[in-house]
Amino acid sequence: MSTAKTRLYGVIGWPVEHSWSPAIQSAALSALGVDATYLAFAVHPESLGAAIEGARALGIQGLNVTIPHKERVDLFLDEVDEAAHAIGAVNTIVREGEQLIGTNTDAAGLVRSLEEAGCAVDGARALVLGAGGAARAAVHGLKSAGARVEVAARRPGPARALGRSFGVEAMTLDDVSFESVDLLVQATSATMGADAIAFAEALPLDSLPTHATVVDLVYTPRETTVLRAARARGLATVEGVGMLVWQAALALERWLGRPAPIDVMREAAEGAASMRSGEKSARSGPDP
Ligand code: NDP
């Protein structure tokens, strides 16, 4: 039962009803015995500023931010940290006194999920596919963790822009070579759409070294066409659900200042995934 002391957290997005965050974060708050409620708020893009002012006035302690607000919510915050600034997106809002601070836990979440899977990131040659928000987070996270990063996207303009903003080499998917890549990061939305099979078939996965790891940030479906093809070649693979769970865990740790119950959160994500498996995966949102 909630009381006047119950702390309020939530996720803002549009749409937000398919978000896994309420299941993952509520399970974690409950396991930790925190007197808190976590809600999903459907916030129309035109109401974003009003929603943040409302959160401020209502004393909401923390928010996750999902599409389409990640790139614009900084306008309404008091400060954004280095990660959110570099990536150009906020996925977590932390209340510090009267201040609302924007941060981004996607980048570190990816790195934690790779480390958890036993994949060495420091010193690895990493190739990131895509030039959208997930690719930006991946490049920032991998670079910060000591990887040598390159990016490849289908259109030269966005590839070049991403390469310039992070100081990494950029190319188009047509020009890409997978030889000597230690870590392949699939960060496009192609593997959740109608092009998923053709996209995977067009990738030169055969030329990846046998020690390479392949991660797909897409988590609906969990086994994407790219992961399936990589597994068929005997390569190590990491599912995008790991990044999803870790970005949530790192957000919770920022709010509470204590370790997140990662196993509980993973289990809640598994539960959300199996509930989702009966639905059409194409309807699911791309992030928290
Ligand atoms: P964006 O819409 O910002 O970017 C999508 C990218 O995918 C663009 O570079 C786009 O290229 C490219 N793309 C789409 N279709 C194709 C295709 N058929 N062939 C080649 N490139 C293609 O999306 P996000 O970056 O925010 O998200 C990407 C995916 O990452 C999402 O689908 C989501 O599942 C996943 N994600 C997972 C997270 C996690 O925690 N695991 C967190 C965030 C995202 P173009 O610009 O040319 O259209």
Side-chain angles (χ1 to χ4, degrees):
M1 196 182 82
S2 54
T3 68
K5 286 188 183 160
T6 303
R7 284 188 269 176
L8 188 54
Y9 297 92
V11 55
I12 55 170
W14 185 268
V16 79
E17 63 265 27
H18 299 299
S19 171
W20 297 17
S21 291
I24 297 172
Q25 300 289 16
S26 298
L29 289 163
S30 161
L32 292 173
V34 178
D35 181 6
T37 296
Y38 187 101
L39 296 171
F41 298 106
V43 174
H44 188 277
E46 283 175 15
S47 305
L48 181 58
I52 296 300
E53 282 317 297
R56 218 183 261 287
L58 293 169
I60 288 179
Q61 294 298 309
L63 288 170
N64 291 126
V65 183
T66 186
I67 50 165
H69 303 317
K70 287 170 127 177
E71 279 89 17
R72 216 169 65 86
V73 75
D74 62 316
L75 295 173
F76 308 104
L77 304 177
D78 299 298
E79 207 180 300
V80 297
D81 71 5
E82 190 264 331
H85 181 72
I87 297 164
V90 166
N91 82 331
T92 301
I93 299 172
V94 185
R95 188 184 198 100
E96 289 180 7
E98 293 308 305
Q99 305 263 297
L100 293 182
I101 317 289
T103 185
N104 189 308
T105 63
D106 281 333
L110 170 63
V111 173
R112 292 290 279 271
S113 76
L114 291 167
E115 289 170 350
E116 181 183 57
C119 171
V121 176
D122 192 4
R125 183 175 166 217
L127 175 63
V128 176
L129 308 182
R136 289 184 68 85
V139 172
H140 179 73
L142 295 169
K143 238 194 126 185
S144 307
R148 292 169 290 135
V149 184
E150 293 169 338
V151 295
R154 65 176 163 185
R155 292 184 294 138
R160 270 200 302 272
L162 194 156
R164 258 198 313 274
S165 62
F166 289 96
V168 302
E169 200 180 321
M171 63 209 86
T172 62
L173 284 170
D174 292 335
D175 297 330
V176 81
S177 161
F178 284 4
E179 276 165 36
S180 77
V181 167
D182 303 308
L183 173 60
L184 180 69
V185 181
Q186 197 309 101
T188 77
S189 49
T191 56
M192 66 185 291
D195 299 339
I197 292 174
F199 178 80
E201 283 175 354
L203 296 179
L205 290 170
D206 280 335
S207 54
L208 279 172
T210 51
H211 70 266
T213 298
V214 178
V215 57
D216 196 328
L217 305 198
V218 167
Y219 56 89
T220 46
R222 282 184 67 165
E223 187 185 61
T224 66
T225 50
V226 168
L227 292 184
R228 197 177 316 137
R231 281 173 187 156
R233 282 160 184 74
L235 300 172
T237 58
V238 179
E239 294 179 350
V241 73
M243 173 179 173
L244 177 75
V245 169
W246 274 106
Q247 63 76 30
L250 295 173
L252 188 76
E253 290 184 0
R254 284 293 304 269
W255 295 332
L256 303 181
R258 59 200 267 204
I262 191 75
D263 291 339
V264 170
M265 298 176 91
R266 190 176 296 109
E267 203 178 306
E270 306 278 348
S274 47
M275 271 178 64
R276 181 67 53 82
S277 65
E279 301 176 17
K280 284 211 162 51
S281 61
R283 283 198 299 134
S284 62
D287 49 7

